Amino acid sequence: MPDQSEKKATITLDTANSDRQFPAYQLSINAMDSEKTGHGYRLMGPKYVGRSKNLRTVTLSQWDADEIRAILDEVFAEDARAKSKVLALVERALLKTTDGADVDDDFAIPAGEIRRILADL
């Protein structure tokens, strides 16, 4: 498994077809393990069909990542705050259980909510 420091974040612009009259493009953000392996999220364009051609790839810097996070936090601030509060409760409850102490009633979080949060991490 590659070391986390070896990964890089990229934004990629691909051509999704070869139609010169009606070209289709795909834009994605990716976590790359190496030059050819990684995973990503399609931001726009048609689904990947296996015949796309890379037009341009830009590697993101830490500064880029911070700026993107700032924009997302500005727009989705309530969601981020609500999630962080629930995550703090989950963390406190999990830390208490690892110490062998009982979890107080004020840490009650539905199991389904815990599973959903942990799946999103």
Side-chain angles (χ1 to χ4, degrees), residues 9-27:
T10 64
I11 300 282
T12 303
L13 176 65
D14 293 323
T15 179
N17 65 15
S18 57
D19 189 331
R20 290 177 191 241
Q21 187 174 1
F22 301 104
Y25 300 101
Q26 183 185 69
L27 186 67

Side-chain angles (χ1 to χ4, degrees), residues 80 82-93 109 117-118 121:
K83 185 175 181 179
S84 67
K85 286 179 184 176
V86 175
L87 279 173
L89 283 173
V90 170
E91 181 182 17
R92 286 172 57 198
I109 300 171
I117 291 168
L118 293 176
L121 295 178

Side-chain angles (χ1 to χ4, degrees), residues 45-66:
K47 279 188 161 182
Y48 177 73
V49 291
R51 58 181 179 264
S52 64
K53 180 179 176 190
N54 181 288
L55 297 176
R56 176 99 167 121
T57 297
V58 177
T59 300
L60 300 176
S61 67
Q62 182 63 53
W63 183 84
D64 295 326
D66 293 341

Side-chain angles (χ1 to χ4, degrees), residues 3 11 14 33-34 41 46 93 97 99:
D3 181 14
I11 300 282
D14 293 323
D33 297 325
S34 69
Y41 180 78
T97 58
D99 295 336

Side-chain angles (χ1 to χ4, degrees), residues 2 5 12 17 35 43 51 65 67 69 77 87 91 104:
S5 63
T12 303
N17 65 15
E35 288 296 317
L43 297 168
R51 58 181 179 264
E67 292 297 312
R69 277 190 196 97
L87 279 173
E91 181 182 17
D104 294 18

Side-chain angles (χ1 to χ4, degrees), residues 30-41:
N30 311 286
M32 300 302 292
D33 297 325
S34 69
E35 288 296 317
K36 297 191 186 258
T37 62
H39 65 280
Y41 180 78

